Amino acid sequence: CLVGASAVDLISVNGAPPYDDSFFTDASAPTLDGVELSEPLSELSRSKDALSKGVALLAGANLDEGTEFMADAPPLACDATDSEFLAWSTQFYGPKLGPLVPMLYTNLEMPAPLCLDQRHPGTNTSVQWQGAMRSAGDSTMLCPTREMLAASSAWGNDVFWYFFIATPIRSVNMEDMAYWGAFHGAEVPFVFGDQFELSSDGERALSRAMGCFWTNFASTGNPNQGPGDCAKHLGLPHWPTLGEKGAAVIFSNTSLTVRQNLKQAICDTFAEHPH
């Protein structure tokens, strides 16, 4: 069927499938076919029957997940005001959750990307736009990942959470990094050691650390242990399991640290008000 299908039709289906995903309708949305996937991933990840007991998980998200997808969210001016952020949030999240969101993003983690929104005037980037962008990424990617890991941890599985906050110096997929930040997928070249994407000794060191953790996890189910004992040789910090405190390893441009209760208030709010 696929071999004989029209290339135009295949491109169309991939570019605009009629399935809701992270931002209304997104190109990577899975198909609920009743065979391979019987319910949305967000629901499946909370099911006790979804994942086998004893299977470790490693997952995470990036600081600026929202930059790549803000074009799919409701329009918001780069120099948005408090009232415009509130109106955007209410439109995006609904009348119950919407008014709560701006209050969660009054103290943003820096650096934060600049806005590049051709649908609205305004050359300056306000913290309100940056807050909206961060909320979009957290609500659709970071917090659902945390929820999935927490559910699996409650079943007795070892789970490991990461938060990637390093803005790459350059990217073959993006142009001006000032507008993208630690964008969706920015960590992938670091994990796989793609030297053509790494531009400094610091980035190469970060890549070695992440490659070690991921290789260890693939080998043993524990990012701290693996053949060759690379974590010890590189002097990497111990990566704790998520646990009740929501521990995560923070991968930045300059350091590797462990942070407790990462995004707890934000993610708890989104979990309490599904949208």
Side-chain angles (χ1 to χ4, degrees), residues 75-89 102 105 120-122 124-132:
L76 182 66
C78 291
D79 54 1
T81 63
D82 285 338
S83 61
E84 289 171 335
F85 184 9
L86 176 60
W88 176 91
S89 182
Y105 292 89
H120 280 274
N124 297 322
T125 301
S126 68
V127 293
Q128 289 84 356
W129 182 91
Q130 292 170 330

Side-chain angles (χ1 to χ4, degrees), residues 17 19 28-34 36-38:
Y19 312 114
S28 60
T31 302
L32 303 182
D33 60 359
E36 297 294 337
L37 195 60
S38 59

Side-chain angles (χ1 to χ4, degrees), residues 54-140:
V55 176
L57 294 178
L58 186 155
N62 298 352
L63 177 62
D64 300 307
E65 294 280 1
T67 53
E68 193 171 341
F69 303 102
M70 277 299 280
D72 297 323
L76 182 66
C78 291
D79 54 1
T81 63
D82 285 338
S83 61
E84 289 171 335
F85 184 9
L86 176 60
W88 176 91
S89 182
T90 302
Q91 180 182 357
F92 193 32
Y93 297 113
K96 292 185 178 180
L97 175 59
L100 304 178
V101 172
M103 295 182 291
L104 299 173
Y105 292 89
T106 57
N107 187 17
L108 298 181
E109 184 159 353
M110 294 294 167
L114 300 176
C115 170
L116 181 64
D117 191 342
Q118 298 177 351
R119 296 174 298 167
H120 280 274
T123 57
N124 297 322
T125 301
S126 68
V127 293
Q128 289 84 356
W129 182 91
Q130 292 170 330
M133 179 274 296
R134 288 274 173 81
S135 79
D138 289 347
S139 67
T140 57

Side-chain angles (χ1 to χ4, degrees), residues 7-256:
V8 173
D9 290 341
L10 292 176
I11 292 172
S12 176
V13 169
N14 182 65
Y19 312 114
D20 287 342
D21 191 37
S22 54
F23 285 70
F24 300 119
T25 298
D26 186 59
S28 60
T31 302
L32 303 182
D33 60 359
V35 180
E36 297 294 337
L37 195 60
S38 59
E39 56 185 316
L41 291 175
S42 58
E43 297 178 14
L44 197 63
S45 66
R46 295 189 295 266
S47 170
K48 291 186 177 181
D49 299 323
L51 297 172
S52 300
K53 191 173 183 179
V55 176
L57 294 178
L58 186 155
N62 298 352
L63 177 62
D64 300 307
E65 294 280 1
T67 53
E68 193 171 341
F69 303 102
M70 277 299 280
D72 297 323
L76 182 66
C78 291
D79 54 1
T81 63
D82 285 338
S83 61
E84 289 171 335
F85 184 9
L86 176 60
W88 176 91
S89 182
T90 302
Q91 180 182 357
F92 193 32
Y93 297 113
K96 292 185 178 180
L97 175 59
L100 304 178
V101 172
M103 295 182 291
L104 299 173
Y105 292 89
T106 57
N107 187 17
L108 298 181
E109 184 159 353
M110 294 294 167
L114 300 176
C115 170
L116 181 64
D117 191 342
Q118 298 177 351
R119 296 174 298 167
H120 280 274
T123 57
N124 297 322
T125 301
S126 68
V127 293
Q128 289 84 356
W129 182 91
Q130 292 170 330
M133 179 274 296
R134 288 274 173 81
S135 79
D138 289 347
S139 67
T140 57
M141 299 177 196
L142 186 145
C143 291
T145 300
R146 175 183 179 269
E147 188 174 4
M148 177 191 69
L149 291 174
S152 185
S153 178
W155 309 333
N157 295 330
D158 290 334
V159 300
F160 302 90
W161 192 24
Y162 71 84
F163 188 39
F164 186 85
I165 64 173
T167 296
I169 295 173
R170 62 177 296 273
S171 169
V172 298
N173 295 308
M174 304 299 179
E175 294 181 357
D176 190 338
M177 299 312 303
Y179 295 98
W180 298 106
F183 63 91
H184 179 68
E187 80 277 33
V188 175
F190 289 83
V191 171
F192 288 97
D194 294 332
Q195 297 303 311
F196 59 88
E197 289 253 5
L198 308 176
S199 304
S200 69
D201 290 341
E203 287 195 336
R204 286 183 280 271
L206 177 58
S207 177
R208 286 192 293 272
M210 297 182 72
C212 171
F213 278 141
W214 262 252
T215 300
N216 282 349
F217 182 79
S219 300
T220 67
N222 185 334
N224 303 294
Q225 302 172 356
D229 209 4
C230 61
K232 179 179 180 181
H233 293 314
L234 293 174
L236 303 183
H238 178 77
W239 190 336
T241 56
L242 180 74
E244 294 182 357
K245 294 184 178 180
V249 167
I250 312 300
F251 294 107
S252 80
N253 297 73
T254 58
S255 64
L256 275 67

